[in-house]
Amino acid sequence: YPVGPTLSAWFEAQVERAPEAWAVVSDDGRLDYVSLNAKANRLAHHLRTLGVGPEVRVGVYMERSPELVVGMLAVLKAGGAYLPLDPAYPPERLAYMLRDAMPLVVLTRGGVDGELIDGYPALPIGVDAFEHGAFDACPATNPVSLAYADHPAYVIYTSGSTGVPKGVVGTHRSMVNRLAWMQEREPVQVGQRHIQKTSLNFIDSVTETLAPLVGGATLSIVDGETARDPVKLWNRVVEQGASRLTVVPSLLRALLELDQAAPQGMLLVSSGEALASELAARVNEAWPGVRLLNLYGSSEVAGDALAYELAGTLTVGGVPLGRPIANTRVYLLDGEGQPVPLGVVGELYVGGAGLARGYLNRADLSAERFVPDPFGEAGSRMYRTGDLARYLADGTIEYIGRADHQVKIRGFRIEPGEIEAALRRHERVRDVAVLARADEDGDLRLVGYVVTDGTGIESADLRAHLQQTLPDYMVPSHLI
């Protein structure tokens, strides 16, 4: 794709094309493109004086807000990689991420618990910092780019089978390829409204945030309460006349149950977990003016590697994953690493421009999951997804399940082994197994089966124990 080598360069080019268009709107205020760029530039120049540049990580500890977007862009402009730190995460989990990633500084919005970032300097970037504070004297011009396509742009931590999360190092090249493919397929334009509702700790937040900004649309940011409430979220979608919304199927089901109209012509993007044909049919019936695009991918492949647009009637079962996006290679291989025939189940591998660099400080795990690509150019790699799939007669790919124990629930990628490890750390737990079971509606829920030392223990005690180290979405719904 003939675009700039970095994400920040692509954004700066869009600022030149439409400087006065609204870039970010939220309940906390709004910024046009030229103002957003100027704030990010001033912060970027300040970060440079602190030593931020290529291969340097900067923590971003704040809720979704215009300042969060400023901080994210500023880190990219300075040449560094941003490290999302969701304030809703347990302190112990955040502390591990900080120790593992060792950011040079942590950007905050103010009112941060000092113990959380002990040893990592906090840099508040609230409104006052730009009007009367440290960045007031910094230039508003674009800093000279120091980063190149293969430098890290972000580090996003995902659930780990070994009991601790692992940080995926995404590059400018991989995310530029993903955004350029979508921009070519579904052009973002000035005047459109895109909803940003995903925590920065998940890969969908990168595309949700940057896709509108490199195309000139307006990014409408919703707070955490609105994002978690289907009624409030859908009201915001309708009020804004949103052009695009990314959802996981479980959220899509909740939105359909509201029985409300959708903005005409909206593109609905489903990702994060398998999409059932029954649910896709309900979208076509309830919202005939809405287009539905099913995407498949993970943090290791810049979010998305396969795409399938819904058209016509589907048979019972799951919606196909589709075909590879631009500059992406997909293989279905057997246990010997050989391609499987049509209709035969194989493990899905992804190669091409979208691959992440690997896992931070985990050379062993990187070598296990990012393996040499025997079908590509010399030195190329492919990512072993652990997903099982098969080719359909029309050449599209159908998802079958997992080759390991990983599950996806409400779009969250979860390693039950990490939950089991956390439960075993309780002094009165002797053995444990965590499984994903379907409820009456077919939605998956986590269930933990625990063997104690015989002295008796309340499930509330175990839940409180887990909440010390795990985010809420990883705490089982039932503990038996």
Side-chain angles (χ1 to χ4, degrees):
Y1 284 111
V3 298
T6 65
L7 296 163
S8 51
W10 197 359
F11 168 72
E12 290 164 2
Q14 180 56 46
V15 174
E16 294 296 322
R17 287 192 289 269
E20 297 180 357
W22 289 117
V24 178
V25 298
S26 75
D27 292 339
D28 296 327
R30 58 179 59 195
L31 292 169
D32 59 22
Y33 271 84
V34 69
S35 300
L36 174 60
N37 191 51
K39 280 193 168 186
N41 284 341
R42 289 161 66 186
L43 177 55
H45 282 291
H46 182 78
L47 290 174
R48 284 269 180 90
T49 67
L50 301 179
V52 176
E55 307 295 339
V56 175
R57 292 172 289 278
V58 176
V60 179
Y61 177 79
M62 60 185 83
E63 299 282 358
R64 290 183 294 279
S65 62
E67 286 79 19
L68 184 147
V69 180
V70 170
M72 181 177 167
L73 288 171
V75 175
L76 295 173
K77 283 171 171 284
Y82 69 88
L83 169 70
L85 300 164
D86 192 332
Y89 274 16
E92 286 189 29
R93 191 176 186 84
L94 290 170
Y96 171 82
M97 293 161 63
L98 286 166
R99 290 195 307 271
D100 190 52
M102 297 184 65
L104 181 68
V105 65
V106 177
L107 304 182
T108 72
R109 203 181 174 199
V112 178
D113 180 0
E115 295 182 0
L116 170 75
I117 53 175
D118 184 31
Y120 300 91
L123 181 63
I125 61 169
V127 176
D128 291 343
F130 290 93
E131 295 181 353
H132 313 291
F135 319 131
D136 189 44
C138 295
T141 55
N142 295 331
V144 176
S145 179
L146 299 179
Y148 290 93
D150 290 320
H151 278 131
Y154 52 84
V155 178
I156 290 181
Y157 277 79
T158 68
S159 180
S161 58
T162 59
V164 294
K166 55 185 183 291
V168 180
V169 183
T171 65
H172 286 269
R173 181 190 304 277
S174 60
M175 186 51 66
V176 163
N177 184 77
R178 161 58 178 82
L179 295 178
W181 162 77
M182 189 59 129
Q183 179 67 1
E184 180 181 60
R185 179 191 175 102
E186 307 287 344
V188 175
Q189 300 173 353
V190 175
Q192 289 183 346
R193 289 286 178 102
H194 291 216
I195 302 296
Q196 206 288 326
K197 55 159 186 55
T198 304
S199 162
L200 219 63
N201 274 90
F202 299 96
I203 189 65
D204 278 351
S205 71
V206 186
T207 52
E208 270 189 357
T209 304
L210 294 179
L213 296 179
V214 299
T218 301
L219 185 65
S220 180
I221 301 175
V222 301
D223 58 29
E225 180 182 353
T226 301
R228 291 186 293 269
D229 187 323
V231 175
K232 292 182 178 180
L233 176 61
W234 195 246
N235 286 341
R236 180 65 62 89
V237 168
V238 174
E239 289 169 4
Q240 296 286 315
S243 304
R244 193 171 301 180
L245 177 67
T246 301
V247 295
V248 294
S250 49
L251 174 58
L252 177 57
R253 189 182 301 276
L255 295 177
L256 283 166
E257 290 174 354
L258 299 178
D259 197 24
Q260 301 291 325
Q264 192 69 18
M266 182 177 70
L267 176 65
L268 201 58
V269 178
S270 175
S271 71
E273 58 189 25
L275 176 62
S277 300
E278 162 267 330
L279 191 56
R282 288 179 59 188
V283 172
N284 291 334
E285 180 181 348
W287 302 324
V290 170
R291 295 169 53 220
L292 182 58
L293 181 65
N294 190 35
L295 297 181
Y296 164 87
S298 67
S299 302
E300 289 86 347
V301 293
D304 302 299
L306 292 159
Y308 184 88
E309 182 166 359
L310 280 293
T313 303
L314 290 166
T315 57
V316 176
V319 174
L321 304 179
R323 299 175 184 273
I325 70 170
N327 303 313
T328 299
R329 300 185 302 275
V330 170
Y331 312 109
L332 300 183
L333 307 180
D334 62 19
E336 303 298 324
Q338 296 300 311
V340 297
L342 182 74
V344 175
V345 175
E347 185 172 353
L348 196 154
Y349 291 73
V350 178
L355 263 63
R357 177 184 287 186
Y359 300 111
L360 184 67
N361 302 326
R362 296 295 302 278
D364 55 340
L365 187 59
S366 296
E368 177 186 329
R369 307 303 296 190
F370 293 87
V371 298
D373 182 353
F375 312 102
E377 300 175 355
S380 59
R381 303 173 303 148
M382 56 184 184
Y383 170 61
R384 184 177 185 178
T385 67
D387 288 326
L388 300 176
R390 64 184 175 190
Y391 284 109
L392 299 176
D394 62 357
T396 59
I397 293 175
E398 178 186 39
Y399 176 73
I400 300 298
R402 289 289 300 176
D404 56 20
H405 300 295
Q406 186 189 103
V407 296
K408 280 196 173 182
I409 298 181
R410 300 189 304 281
F412 299 118
R413 187 169 73 174
I414 298 170
E415 294 281 2
E418 184 176 353
I419 307 171
E420 292 171 352
L423 280 169
R424 286 193 180 97
R425 286 194 287 269
H426 193 286
E427 60 183 7
R428 292 162 65 186
V429 169
R430 293 294 171 263
D431 203 1
V432 62
V434 175
L435 301 177
R437 311 301 285 268
D439 61 15
E440 295 178 355
D441 295 326
D443 293 330
L444 290 178
R445 295 288 184 271
L446 289 171
V447 180
Y449 299 88
V450 180
V451 177
T452 72
D453 60 5
T455 57
I457 188 172
E458 297 293 332
S459 60
D461 295 334
L462 289 174
R463 195 174 305 279
H465 169 75
L466 290 176
Q467 288 172 337
Q468 293 177 12
T469 58
L470 300 178
D472 287 343
Y473 69 86
M474 292 183 68
V475 177
S477 302
H478 303 285
L479 288 166
I480 300 172

